[in-house]
Amino acid sequence: MNPDTTALPLADEKHLPMPRIALSMTINGARYDIETASTATLLDVIRDQLGLTGTKKGCDMGGCGACTVLVEGRRIASCLALAASFSDAVLTTIEGIGTADRLHPLQAAFIRHDALQCGYCTPGQILSGIALLSENPRSFEEIREGMSGNLCRCGAYPGIVAAIAEVAGL
Amino acid sequence: MSGPSFRYIRAARLDDALSQGARQGATYLAGGADLLPLWKAGLAAPTEVIDISRLPLSQVSYAGDALAVGALARLSDVSAHPVVKRHHPMIAEAILASASGQVRNLATIGGNLLQRTRCTYFRTDGLACNKRDPGSGCGARRGESRHAALFGGSVGCVATHASDLAVALAALDAEISCRGLTGERRLALQDLYPLPGATTAPDTSLADGEMITAVHIDGAARFAAQSTYLKVRDRASFEFAVVSVAAALRIERGVIAEARLAAGGVAPLPWRLGRSEAALIGRAPTGEAFALAGELAVEGATPLAGNAFKVPLLHNAVIRALQTVGEGS
Ligand SMILES: Cc1cc2nc3c(=O)[nH]c(=O)nc-3n(C[C@H](O)[C@H](O)[C@H](O)COP(=O)(O)OP(=O)(O)OC[C@H]3O[C@@H](n4cnc5c(N)ncnc54)[C@H](O)[C@@H]3O)c2cc1C
Ligand code: SF4
Ligand code: FES
Ligand code: FES
């Protein structure tokens, strides 16, 4: 069993009495109609309730970018988002980007440029990078600035910047 | 980490929101970028969360040099808006120097102005803090005071306001519109933030349930070509300001006709540097004039042990910002 799903915060005593709400979301093209705690963050719903554990929880306070997902193509920190507020939203998580035999160009570039070590930050880096690419960064400097919301404890920054720059055609 | 339970209500109309928001224990949710961290840390414990994010208050309009930005506009949309970039580039700069892309896509204008202080004693449970636990004392004043205020603090509280946007807005004499059950009012941005008294003060002058609906800047596009937002921080990006300066000049025939200066990271509100502004008027935009403005900017500062370095830092930041702006002349 995936260790991520063993400590379900939505099922512990502290959360059970919470008011629950109905929610529907489209994630990676699939529609989900669920019931969840009114207090749940989008991150906790995605990971613990829907089991899409590619989205990571690092700091849970907006500071690391590991939880980055796309809402209508725009990146957000899902740990800062109240799930209820995103009813009817169209989301993309890392599970919706590429497949093992058909990688997204940025995923392929990450491999070529050694843009990861432990890989924990990578889903967030990829989604953030994809969103940044749609904003047309024009220099390495703009890529560094545009990616400053994604931290990497392994310090793979040079590879990450190089991978994005390659896909941006810089 | 999570806080106590609350009921979630999505406001369908502004009027509904105002009556829901006025109920005891209710709080508004816009982007959630500050409310959720505060809730997780036990610093906000609403019984009802009124989601106002889908109310139609996110328009940016510009007519006759009057800019109006809806309080629910996302930071990223405002910084990318052509009218803002063209007529008020300093606002776009201040926003782009704030937080990260992921946060700016969530955060709204109103929420940014209403974010609570980043004072570590306030944000960390178990430490003395008058703002969190009235009467427990001000930990920052006696302890780690690196981020404490140079101006406007009190024995009770020396917290600084962390919004970058507010500093740029203050320099441009921005006003905010608020709506409550009893009607609408418009006030100067600085009047949103009361100064702390002997213990501390409420963060804002808003009444319970009062909502910010818009931010206005009237007749300030003339500063567009000569304005800048300088943010000094501990790392190059994605960090709050240690000190920041919003500067704008209007130079006519080689002489400064108008000057606007506001500083961030140094007070419980965006701090207008009125004496520096006055001293610049009628002078040529030279190093000498800028040095005088720098000196006057730090007059009256009351540093503590840990933040005395911010006095020369502010002095130099004012000069640097003026040099940047003056270069165009
Ligand atoms: C990691 C991180 C880094 C950051 N860095 C910076 C930075 O460098 N510079 C900077 O300026 N900010 C920074 N911020 C702060 C961020 O900009 C604010 O958290 C954000 O703008 C809050 O806006 P929001 O819409 O999400 O507000 P919310 O969290 O939804 O609301 C905040 C508060 O305002 C109230 N509220 C919201 N809208 C209204 C309204 N219209 N009327 C009345 N009340 C309202 C809510 O009830 C709540 O009390 C950072 C935040 C994070 C998490
Ligand atoms: S400065 Fe204000 S917020 Fe910080 S510890 Fe003192 S009372 Fe609390
Ligand atoms: S887990 Fe959301 S930013 Fe770190
Ligand atoms: S690859 Fe390990 S944290 Fe980035």
Side-chain angles (χ1 to χ4, degrees):
Chain A
M1 195 174 148
N2 188 325
D4 288 326
T5 57
T6 52
L8 281 178
L10 294 175
D12 70 22
E13 290 125 44
K14 203 167 146 209
H15 288 75
L16 270 183
M18 290 195 174
R20 297 183 73 79
I21 49 146
L23 196 61
S24 56
M25 288 187 290
T26 303
I27 306 182
N28 308 327
R31 194 186 150 103
Y32 295 85
D33 294 296
I34 58 167
E35 206 185 82
T36 190
S38 60
T39 54
T41 61
L42 187 56
L43 173 62
D44 286 342
V45 166
I46 289 172
R47 283 180 57 80
D48 300 331
Q49 200 164 352
L50 304 181
L52 296 169
T53 53
T55 305
K56 300 302 177 196
K57 183 188 275 192
C59 64
D60 206 20
M61 54 196 288
C64 75
C67 67
T68 302
V69 300
L70 305 183
V71 180
E72 267 114 52
R74 291 161 57 129
R75 53 190 165 159
I76 63 160
S78 62
C79 69
L80 294 178
L82 192 68
S85 196
F86 285 78
S87 190
D88 303 321
V90 178
L91 309 182
T92 307
T93 66
I94 192 66
E95 288 85 353
I97 304 292
T99 59
D101 43 319
R102 270 186 73 102
L103 293 175
H104 183 282
L106 188 59
Q107 290 172 317
F110 262 58
I111 295 171
R112 272 197 300 284
H113 289 275
D114 251 339
L116 63 148
Q117 203 178 107
C118 77
Y120 195 81
C121 71
T122 313
Q125 302 279 6
I126 297 273
L127 286 165
S128 192
I130 289 173
L132 177 64
L133 284 166
S134 73
E135 295 164 22
N136 294 318
R138 284 156 305 185
S139 64
F140 277 64
E141 193 40 48
E142 283 188 16
I143 293 173
R144 274 191 286 272
E145 170 60 35
M147 291 298 290
S148 69
N150 292 82
L151 304 194
C152 174
R153 282 310 287 267
C154 301
Y157 298 110
I160 294 167
V161 173
I164 296 170
E166 187 196 299
V167 178
L170 293 171
Chain B
M1 265 199 313
S2 65
S5 179
F6 54 73
R7 224 154 69 86
Y8 170 84
I9 298 166
R10 183 178 307 134
R13 296 168 45 241
L14 178 58
D15 286 351
D16 297 343
L18 293 174
S19 44
Q20 289 154 348
R23 295 201 287 250
Q24 202 182 350
T27 199
Y28 293 128
L29 172 93
D34 200 31
L35 185 63
L36 283 188
L38 290 169
W39 172 76
K40 290 176 193 178
L43 289 163
T47 51
E48 289 184 299
V49 164
I50 316 301
D51 182 354
I52 56 174
S53 64
R54 299 193 196 186
L55 294 179
L57 292 173
S58 54
Q59 293 299 96
V60 175
S61 69
Y62 184 79
D65 199 9
L67 176 78
V69 180
L72 294 171
R74 308 278 173 176
L75 292 185
S76 46
D77 291 328
V78 176
S79 62
H81 199 286
V83 151
V84 174
K85 290 205 307 205
R86 172 140 181 246
H87 300 294
H88 295 294
M90 188 163 75
I91 291 177
E93 277 176 55
I95 291 176
L96 290 173
S98 307
S100 64
Q102 288 94 321
V103 177
R104 294 193 296 269
N105 277 334
L106 280 169
T108 65
I109 295 292
N112 181 274
L113 299 178
L114 293 171
Q115 63 178 290
R116 304 201 72 185
T117 183
R118 311 307 295 196
C119 175
T120 322
Y121 294 84
F122 171 70
R123 297 247 169 191
T124 315
D125 199 19
L127 300 179
C129 169
N130 282 330
K131 201 184 262 301
R132 179 166 34 75
D133 181 12
S136 63
C138 170
R141 204 182 166 82
R142 288 181 279 113
E144 173 52 56
S145 51
R146 188 164 191 272
H147 288 282
L150 294 176
F151 307 100
S154 74
V155 200
C157 181
V158 285
T160 51
H161 198 271
S163 166
D164 291 294
L165 172 67
V167 179
L169 290 176
L172 297 170
D173 279 342
E175 295 187 335
I176 55 170
S177 297
C178 306
R179 275 282 292 270
L181 283 177
T182 52
E184 187 158 354
R185 63 177 176 136
R186 198 163 150 156
L187 62 156
L189 174 67
Q190 272 103 324
D191 293 340
L192 180 61
Y193 307 110
L195 288 174
T199 52
T200 164
D203 284 9
T204 77
S205 58
L206 293 181
D208 281 346
E210 203 174 9
M211 190 190 296
I212 300 182
T213 52
V215 171
H216 307 273
I217 300 176
D218 289 346
R222 62 186 181 280
F223 294 113
Q226 287 187 296
S227 63
T228 195
Y229 185 71
L230 170 66
K231 181 170 176 181
V232 183
R233 40 190 161 172
D234 288 337
R235 56 183 183 192
S237 181
F238 198 21
E239 188 51 273
F240 290 95
V242 178
V243 161
S244 70
V245 174
L249 295 176
R250 190 170 61 80
I251 295 166
E252 237 174 46
R253 288 185 219 95
V255 170
I256 299 172
E258 282 184 279
R260 299 287 183 84
L261 283 168
V266 297
L269 72 169
W271 198 249
R272 272 292 281 266
L273 303 170
R275 271 178 302 211
S276 304
E277 292 176 1
L280 287 167
I281 309 296
R283 288 176 189 264
T286 60
E288 213 176 303
F290 298 163
L292 176 63
E295 263 160 50
L296 292 171
V298 296
E299 231 177 46
T302 52
L304 299 163
N307 69 351
F309 75 98
K310 290 212 272 195
V311 174
L313 193 59
L314 174 62
H315 171 267
N316 294 349
V318 166
I319 294 174
R320 167 108 77 88
L322 286 169
Q323 283 169 343
T324 305
V325 172
E327 261 169 19
S329 53

